C-alpha cells in the first residue's frame, strides 16, 4: 500500500524544503519534487509542515504508585500531540534482576500502545549479577540506563554510579542521571518541616538549585574520569547548566535534556492559593524566570540536546492530595506527554525564537541519535520509518484538562493559548491521527534499539 504526501513543507535538519514524500511498506520510499502518483493514495498537505515523528525520551507510565496515566492512555495522548515513539523507564526492583523489570514493562506495555515504545532501564541495585545482564539487555534492544542520585528507594552511591557508567560504556550504551543530591534533599525537607513549613511552597526550598548543580557536577566528574559521554535528564537550573557549559569548555562530551515545564513554568506556581501549588510538584522543582531564560538561550544555542516530558501524572484529587498536610508526601511529577510539541511550537517556533528544524532536532533527531534509533527514526530520509507528523501551523486553540487525551484530572497549562497542532500523524505509513483526532489505536510497536550514535 503506497501513499503520496504531496506539496508538504518538509522539515530537514538543514532547513525546510517544499517537496513530495512517498511512503511504501511503512517506510519513506522517495522524497522529491512532483513525484508521480502512480496508484498511490494521495494526501495533499499544501501549507503544512511535515516533521519526522516526535520522540519523547522520558515518560513514566508504570511502576510508580497511583499514576494517572498508563501505557494505554499515555501513548494515546502522546500520539494525539504528534509523538510517535516514546521511551519509558523500566525500573529494577531492589533484589531482582534487570530481566524482571524488562518483563514487567513488556507486560505493562505490549498490546496497549498507540505509539511506538521502548524502555530505558533504571538501575537501583548494582552488583556483578546485574552487570552480567547487560549483554542480554542489548540483545533485547535496551541500550540506555538511568541512575538516581536522589529518592532513597532508588538512588545509587557514587561508586555504584561509576561502575554502571563503566560497564554500560563497555557494552556500548548510555547512562542518564537524575541529578539531585539525595542527602541534601533529605536535609532540605527536614529543615523546612522543622520550621513548620508544610505547604507546597516549601517544595522548591527543600530542593534548591545548589543541590542539582552539585549532583550534575559529580555526575560530570564520573563521566570525565571514565572518558565516557553521560546524559543529564530533566535539567532545570541555570547553575546546573553552567556546570555543563564548564565541562564542555574543557572538552568533555555530555548530553542534556530539559522539559517544557522548566522552559515555561516558574516556582511562582508553588505560591498559588490553597493547595493548587501541589499540581506543580516535581523534582527537580520549577525554578525562577532567570532559569527559564537561561534554558531557552541554551536551547537556541544548541546546548540542549533533547526536550523530553518526564510525564509522570497524578490526579490532583486523591493523589496529589496525599500531601495536603505535608508537602513531602505529594507525589512528584507532572503530566505533559500530549503538549510537548505544541508548547515548543507555540513558544519557540511561532514567535521565531527557534526554527522548525531546531524543533525537529530536539524532539526527534537528537533523541533518535542518543538512544540508538537513528536513522530508522528521527529524520525524513529514504529508508526511514514513515512515522510522520503533518503540522498545521495556522491552527490556534487553548489547552484544557476537559479536552485533553491524557487521563489526569488537570493540566499544568490550563488556559494556555496554543499555535499549531499535529493535524495528521502517521505510524509506519498508516494514518493514526486525522484532523487532530485519533483514528487508529494500539498500532504501536516495541522498538528494539541499537547503540547510541556516538558509539557508532
Ligand atoms: O518529579 C518527577 N520528575 N517525577 C518523575 C521521576 C523522575 O525523577 O524522573
Ligand atoms: Zn528523574
Ligand atoms: Zn522522570
Amino acid at each position: 500500500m503506497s501513499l503520496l504526501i504531496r506539496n508538504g513543507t518538509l522539515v530537514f535538519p538543514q532547513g525546510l524544503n517544499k517537496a513530495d514524500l512517498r511512503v511504501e511498506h511503512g517506510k519513506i520510499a522517495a522524497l522529491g519534487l512532483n513525484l508521480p502518483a502512480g496508484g498511490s493514495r494521495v494526501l495533499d498537505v499544501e501549507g503544512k509542515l511535515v516533521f519526522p515523528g516526535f520522540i519523547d525520551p522520558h515518560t513514566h507510565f508504570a511502576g510508580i504508585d497511583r499514576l494517572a496515566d498508563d501505557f494505554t492512555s499515555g501513548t494515546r495522548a502522546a500520539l494525539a500531540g504528534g509523538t510517535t515513539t516514546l521511551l519509558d523507564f523500566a525500573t529494577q526492583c531492589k533484589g531482582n534482576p534487570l530481566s524482571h523489570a524488562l518483563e514487567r514493562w513488556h507486560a505493562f506495555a505490549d498490546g496497549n500502545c498507540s505509539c511506538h515504545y521502548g524502555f530505558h532501564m533504571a538501575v537501583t541495585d548494582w552488583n556483578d549479577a546485574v552487570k552480567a545482564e547487560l549483554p542480554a539487555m542489548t540483545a533485547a534492544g535496551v541500550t540506555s540506563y538511568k541512575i538516581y542520585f536522589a529518592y532513597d528507594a532508588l538512588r545509587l552511591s557514587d561508586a555504584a554510579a561509576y561502575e554502571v557508567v563503566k560497564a554500560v560504556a563497555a557494552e556500548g550504551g548510555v547512562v542518564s542521571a537524575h541529578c539531585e543530591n539525595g542527602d541534601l534533599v533529605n536535609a532540605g525537607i527536614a529543615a523546612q518541616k522543622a520550621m513548620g513549613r508544610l505547604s507546597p511552597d516549601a517544595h522548591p526550598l527543600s530542593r534548591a538549585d545548589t543541590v542539582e548543580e552539585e549532583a550534575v557536577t559529580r555526575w560530570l566528574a564520573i563521566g570525565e574520569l571514565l572518558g565516557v559521554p553521560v546524559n543529564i535528564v530533566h535539567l532545570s537550573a541555570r547553575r546546573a547548566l553552567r556546570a555543563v557549559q564548564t565541562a564542555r569548555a574543557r572538552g568533555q562530551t555530555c548530553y542534556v535534556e530539559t522539559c517544557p515545564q522548566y522552559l515555561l513554568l516558574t516556582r511562582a506556581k508553588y505560591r498559588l492559593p490553597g493547595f493548587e501549588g501541589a499540581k506543580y510538584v516535581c523534582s527537580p522543582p520549577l525554578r525562577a524566570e532567570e532559569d527559564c531564560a537561561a534554558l531557552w538561550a541554551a536551547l537556541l544555542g544548541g546546548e540542549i540536546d533533547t526536550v523530553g516530558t518526564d510525564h509522570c501524572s497524578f490526579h490532583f484529587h486523591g493523589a496529589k492530595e496525599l500531601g495536603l498536610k505535608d508537602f513531602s508526601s505529594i507525589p512528584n511529577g507532572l503530566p505533559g506527554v500530549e503538549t510537548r510539541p505544541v508548547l515548543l511550537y507555540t513558544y519557540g517556533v511561532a514567535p521565531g525564537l527557534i526554527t522548525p528544524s531546531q524543533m525537529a532536532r530536539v524532539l526527534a533527531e537528537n533523541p533518535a541519535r542518543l538512544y540508538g534509533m537513528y536513522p530508522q527514526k528521527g529524520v525524513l530520509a529514504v529508508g526511514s520509518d514513515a512515522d510522520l507528523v503533518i503540522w498545521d501551523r495556522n491552527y490556534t486553540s487553548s489547552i484544557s484538562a476537559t479536552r485533553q487525551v491524557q487521563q489526569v484530572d488537570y493540566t499544568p497549562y490550563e488556559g494556555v493559548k496554543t499555535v499549531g497542532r499535529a493535524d495528521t500523524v502517521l505510524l509506519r505509513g498508516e494514518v493514526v491521527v486525522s484532523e487532530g483526532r485519533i483514528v487508529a489505536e494500539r498500532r504501536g510497536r516495541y522498538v528494539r534499539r541499537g547503540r547510541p550514535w556516538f558509539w557508532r
Side-chain angles (χ1 to χ4, degrees), residues 240-253:
L241 177 65
R242 211 171 300 137
V244 169
Q245 290 164 336
T246 305
R248 284 177 172 163
R250 276 198 306 262
Q252 190 173 346
T253 302

Side-chain angles (χ1 to χ4, degrees), residues 429-440:
E430 181 184 1
V431 174
V432 287
V433 171
S434 179
E435 294 181 15
R437 290 191 191 287
I438 297 171
V439 293

